[in-house]
Amino acid sequence: MSSKLSPRAKVLLYGTLCVLAIPFVFPTWWMVTSSVKPVSDIFAFPPSLVPASVSFAGYRDAFTTQPFAQQYLNSAYIALVVTVGTLAVSSLAGYAFARIRFRGQNVLFLVVLLGLLIPSEVTIVPLFRMFNSAGLVDTHWPLILVPILGAPSVLATFIMRQFFLALPVELEEAARLDGLGRFATFWRVGLPLSRPALGAVSIFTFLHSWNLYLEPIVFLSTPEKFTLPQALTQFVDVYGGPMWNVQLSAASLTAIPVLIVFVIAQRQFIEGLAHTGLKG
């Protein structure tokens, strides 16, 4: 049976996909277009999909109302550091669970997976007390260490383990015959072949760190150290009301790195899920 679709079937398929995409595309389109509207037009009814007049005052005010550029940089470098750190920890741990046999291996892996069942709200108080005793409150260290050593890294470890389990052992046995040790085999053979899984882990980890909200509001109190999710809540007027055009402008700028990361790594993301047996 041929897998090619007829032109009519293609039109029907693409038309259906376009209709199904509307609930996902419309909020983003409304956010971006409303960010350049006057405040009086943002909540006009019926809503307009194209702004009648364009104003970039909201984007200007986003950078003048508070140190938004510094907060943007904070989120960017924290997300990058967390992503790299999680990739290092999860790839090593996933390879170890997949290839190294030791007593209690399955029990230990089950204990690690239990970390996914513990909500972050449960551990936030003991984590605060621990970091406060170490003098690390109002620094970025909690936002870096907790994701790398916490639940996001557990999910990443599971994905990497599943990938290495599906990787043919014969590839590594050939490397061992050539005299490579365990770590050299991982570094030269296993890691280069795991790029699809690394791509999936990168997207998961980057998005989690970029959107992190609870930990920043608990650990940070200085505006110059805020991350973007926390900074978005600070765009209020003198009466405490939201500055809608400024908030939408800042939110539009916040969404840009997420789109860039997904566009660049979407193929690796899909391949990584396919190789690890996960389904969306």
Side-chain angles (χ1 to χ4, degrees):
M1 180 182 294
S2 175
S3 60
K4 294 184 179 179
L5 297 176
S6 64
R8 180 178 297 180
K10 287 184 178 180
V11 172
L12 180 62
L13 175 62
Y14 293 148
T16 303
L17 292 176
C18 290
V19 172
L20 294 177
I22 291 176
F24 303 96
V25 175
F26 177 75
T28 303
W29 176 263
W30 183 86
M31 176 184 69
V32 174
T33 56
S34 297
S35 68
V36 295
K37 292 179 182 178
V39 179
S40 57
D41 293 346
I42 292 179
F43 295 105
F45 186 84
S48 59
L49 297 180
V50 179
S53 59
V54 176
S55 173
F56 293 96
Y59 289 90
R60 179 200 62 207
D61 294 341
F63 289 93
T64 57
T65 305
Q66 59 176 325
F68 188 69
Q70 180 62 49
Q71 295 161 348
Y72 208 99
L73 181 62
N74 293 340
S75 281
Y77 99 82
I78 290 174
L80 289 175
V81 171
V82 169
T83 300
V84 173
T86 301
L87 288 175
V89 172
S90 63
S91 60
L92 287 169
Y95 184 82
F97 279 119
R99 289 290 189 258
I100 302 176
R101 302 302 175 188
F102 55 90
R103 181 177 298 178
Q105 176 188 24
N106 294 331
V107 175
L108 180 60
F109 185 66
L110 179 61
V111 171
V112 172
L113 288 182
L114 288 176
L116 293 174
L117 304 179
I118 303 177
S120 57
E121 294 81 3
V122 174
T123 60
I124 194 67
V125 172
L127 285 174
F128 178 84
R129 298 191 62 177
M130 181 181 69
F131 284 113
N132 187 46
S133 63
L136 297 179
V137 171
D138 202 25
T139 70
H140 292 151
W141 281 110
L143 309 185
I144 295 174
L145 295 177
V146 172
I148 292 178
L149 303 177
S153 187
V154 173
L155 177 60
T157 299
F158 174 77
I159 293 175
M160 296 304 300
R161 174 184 178 269
Q162 296 302 109
F163 182 88
F164 285 126
L165 285 176
L167 198 66
V169 181
E170 292 77 11
L171 297 173
E172 299 176 21
E173 290 178 346
R176 298 294 293 272
L177 291 175
D178 290 337
L180 295 181
R182 176 73 69 179
F183 181 79
T185 301
F186 160 77
W187 183 256
R188 296 187 181 183
V189 179
L191 195 61
L193 292 175
S194 64
R195 279 188 293 180
L198 293 174
V201 170
S202 297
I203 292 182
F204 279 134
T205 306
F206 186 90
L207 292 181
H208 179 271
S209 178
W210 188 261
N211 296 323
L212 202 63
Y213 180 70
L214 175 62
E215 284 78 0
I217 65 174
V218 171
F219 292 111
L220 301 179
S221 57
T222 304
E224 288 74 15
K225 298 178 181 178
F226 284 177
T227 57
L228 289 177
Q230 185 180 11
L232 292 177
T233 64
Q234 306 300 310
F235 292 109
V236 295
D237 56 27
V238 293
Y239 301 105
M243 304 166 63
W244 290 110
N245 60 329
V246 182
Q247 286 190 355
L248 291 172
S249 300
S252 300
L253 293 173
T254 301
I256 292 176
V258 176
L259 296 176
I260 293 176
V261 169
F262 187 79
V263 168
I264 293 176
Q266 61 177 332
R267 177 171 297 180
Q268 287 77 10
F269 176 74
I270 296 173
E271 291 180 359
L273 294 185
H275 280 84
T276 55
L278 297 179
K279 297 182 179 180

